[in-house]
Every structure is written in C-alpha cells, then in structure tokens.
C-alpha cells in the first residue's frame, strides 16, 4: 500500500498547477473530520462505537494508579482530571521554562513520571502512554486549541513551519504540497485533508489502533521516501507545535477516528 501511495503522491503533485495555493488562511482551516465519510464520522461521534474510547478508559484507570518509587498516582497531584485537565491538551506542545524548549503532552507525562512519581518513562506509542495521553486530551474535547500562543514558543513554531515547507525524500515533496496545495483531493483512494491535528492521539482504521501525531508524521516521511525523525526529536516536536498552532481556534476532538 505504501508503494502505491508514494506513486500516487508523485503523480498528484506532478499534475498540480504551477501556482500553488500556499498556507491556508485561518478562516478556511478545517478539521479532518469534515473530510471523512458518514460512517467514519458516526464512529467518532458515538462514544460506544469509537474504538479510541477503550484507550481513554484505560487511561482513566492509570490516572488513579499509584506507581514508581514515590508511590504516587497522577490523581494525587492533579485530582479529578475532568476539571484539572480541562483545556490542558489544547495548549500542547507547550514551552517548558526549565528545559528551555517546548514539550509534547507525551513528554510532559513522562516528565511527571520521572520527577513526581520516580517512575521509568513510558515508551513512545506504548499502550499506557497513548492511554494516558488520550485520557488527558479527552478532557479538552470541544475546547478551542491555543497551542503556540506563548511568545517563548514562537521560534519553535517558525522552525516547524520551515520543516513543513521543506521538500525531502526521494519524491522531493514537502508536507505543504499535499495538505496546503491539494487538500480535498484523493490519494490512493483516501481523502487528503488539511493536516489539522485536532484529535490526537486518534484511532486510525489503517492502523487498527490508537496512534500519536508523531507516528503520523513519521509515516508521511516514510511515504515520501525520507528518513523519519526519531520519536521525541526536536524536529518532530517543532512540527507538532507548528501544526497545532495553525489549528488554533478549532475544537479538540480526542479521540478522533480517521481512515
């Protein structure tokens, strides 16, 4: 499937007009939900049918579970997530003053584990980390995204913007070639969206599981035959920050469902 996607991507861009669309104006930005078919929308809308909700329920259990040598649970510090975590995911990645750089929600969870719970970090894309991220982000469902508002984060937003527009890989394509210039078209039968990350971590039918935005970015890089950045790398964090900043104002949907 990835081979055909790569061939289709090359053909799509080759057929694109010489004058490309450029960055999408804020008032024209749309969630990936608007590109989905009725069956996928219905799956996301019904919590009893949305498979991502199984991870949210797992995350709720982990929230109250004591762990690490400190024998602390997330709830011991943060209390009821329904109130304490409301709106939190909508501003991530967020600038960390101690580290002097932005961190993702996954990284924040692991920092809390290390510093507060004296526990080992959870591996990227592990079920427990995805479950905790989904549970925390789910508390912000319907809340407008505000990531990138911190002035200290601006240089990293610009780094992400440059990476988004940078051609790479054997196909010599940039993120913007698909998601700014050719959205509303199809690639190997799948709709091309604007790449607005309103619902991560989300459930992809292609994956048959929940996955992070970093996994999606790495998949796109592999699709254009480029070397994917490592999970947690500064480049992936900057890309995630830029994408979330350009999604500013759209509501959180976690856990979203996509093809």
């Amino acid at each position: 499937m990835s081979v055909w996607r790569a061939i289709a991507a090359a053909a799509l861009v080759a057929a694109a007009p010489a004058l490309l669309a450029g960055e999408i104006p804020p008032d024209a930005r749309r969630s990936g939900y608007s590109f989905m078919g009725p069956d996928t929308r219905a799956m996301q809308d019904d919590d009893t049918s949305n498979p991502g909700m199984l991870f949210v329920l797992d995350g709720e259990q982990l929230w109250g579970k004591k762990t690490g040598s400190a024998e602390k649970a997330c709830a011991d510090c943060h209390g009821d997530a329904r109130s304490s975590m409301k709106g939190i995911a909508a501003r991530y990645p967020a600038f960390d003053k101690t580290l002097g750089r932005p961190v993702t929600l996954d990284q924040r969870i692991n920092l809390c584990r290390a510093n507060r719970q004296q526990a080992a970090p959870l591996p990227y894309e592990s079920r427990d980390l995805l479950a905790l991220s989904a549970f925390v982000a789910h508390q912000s469902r319907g809340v407008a995204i505000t990531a990138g508002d911190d002035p200290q984060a601006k240089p990293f937003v610009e780094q992400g913007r440059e990476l988004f527009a940078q051609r790479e890989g054997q196909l010599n394509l940039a993120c913007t070639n698909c998601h700014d210039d050719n959205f509303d078209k199809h690639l190997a039968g799948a709709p091309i969206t604007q790449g607005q990350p309103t619902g991560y971590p989300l459930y992809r039918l292609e994956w048959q599981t929940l996955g992070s935005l970093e996994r999606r970015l790495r998949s796109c890089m592999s699709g254009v035959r480029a070397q994917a950045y490592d999970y947690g790398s500064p480049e992936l964090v900057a890309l995630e920050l830029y994408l979330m900043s350009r999604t500013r104002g759209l509501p959180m949907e976690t856990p979203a469902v996509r093809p």
Side-chain angles (χ1 to χ4, degrees), residues 11-252:
L12 179 68
V13 175
L19 182 61
L20 298 178
E23 191 170 288
I24 302 166
D27 60 356
R29 294 175 186 175
R30 297 156 49 196
S31 161
Y33 179 87
S34 69
F35 296 83
M36 300 300 104
D39 290 345
T40 307
R41 291 189 190 188
M43 187 180 295
Q44 177 175 317
D45 293 343
D46 183 355
D47 283 349
T48 63
S49 298
N50 185 336
M53 288 302 298
L54 296 174
F55 287 79
V56 172
L57 294 174
D58 284 350
E60 184 176 15
Q61 294 299 312
L62 291 168
W63 182 262
K65 181 180 179 181
K66 295 183 183 297
T67 190
S69 59
E71 276 293 304
K72 283 187 175 182
C74 304
D76 290 335
C77 288
H78 299 290
D80 187 345
R82 290 174 296 181
S83 55
S84 67
M85 293 293 109
K86 187 176 181 63
I88 295 298
R91 61 181 181 85
Y92 271 82
F95 188 81
D96 185 283
K97 293 181 180 179
T98 301
L99 297 176
R101 58 177 173 81
V103 297
T104 65
L105 182 59
D106 285 353
Q107 291 173 326
R108 174 59 65 201
I109 288 170
N110 273 332
L111 284 169
C112 281
R113 283 178 62 84
N115 298 331
R116 306 296 181 187
Q117 296 174 302
Q118 302 299 304
L122 296 168
Y124 286 106
E125 300 307 304
S126 64
R127 187 176 182 94
D128 283 359
L129 183 56
L130 289 169
L132 276 169
S133 291
F135 175 67
V136 171
H138 182 63
Q139 311 311 313
S140 296
R141 188 163 66 172
V143 175
I145 293 169
T146 59
D149 281 351
D150 187 340
Q152 297 178 94
K154 297 302 181 184
F156 300 94
V157 173
E158 291 307 312
Q159 180 190 4
R161 177 181 281 109
E162 291 173 5
L163 289 168
F164 190 79
Q166 177 180 295
R167 290 179 179 269
E168 61 180 352
Q170 293 177 343
L171 298 186
N172 194 34
L173 295 176
C175 309
T176 188
N177 294 137
C178 283
H179 299 294
D180 283 341
D181 303 327
N182 287 292
F183 67 86
D184 264 336
K185 297 179 183 178
H186 285 76
L187 179 60
I192 300 176
T193 72
Q194 295 180 352
Q196 313 290 3
T198 52
Y200 283 89
L202 56 73
Y203 192 94
R204 285 189 69 85
L205 301 177
E206 177 186 356
W207 296 339
Q208 287 293 289
T209 189
L210 206 73
S212 70
L213 178 53
E214 290 195 32
R215 178 177 178 178
R216 188 71 191 98
L217 291 170
R218 283 168 51 86
S219 178
C220 282
M221 289 171 187
S222 297
V224 299
R225 301 297 183 264
Q227 178 63 50
Y229 298 116
D230 292 336
Y231 281 106
S233 67
E235 293 86 357
L236 280 184
V237 175
L239 268 170
E240 183 169 338
L241 176 57
Y242 166 65
L243 287 170
M244 286 294 284
S245 73
R246 83 184 208 142
T247 307
R248 190 182 297 115
L250 293 179
M252 292 282 294

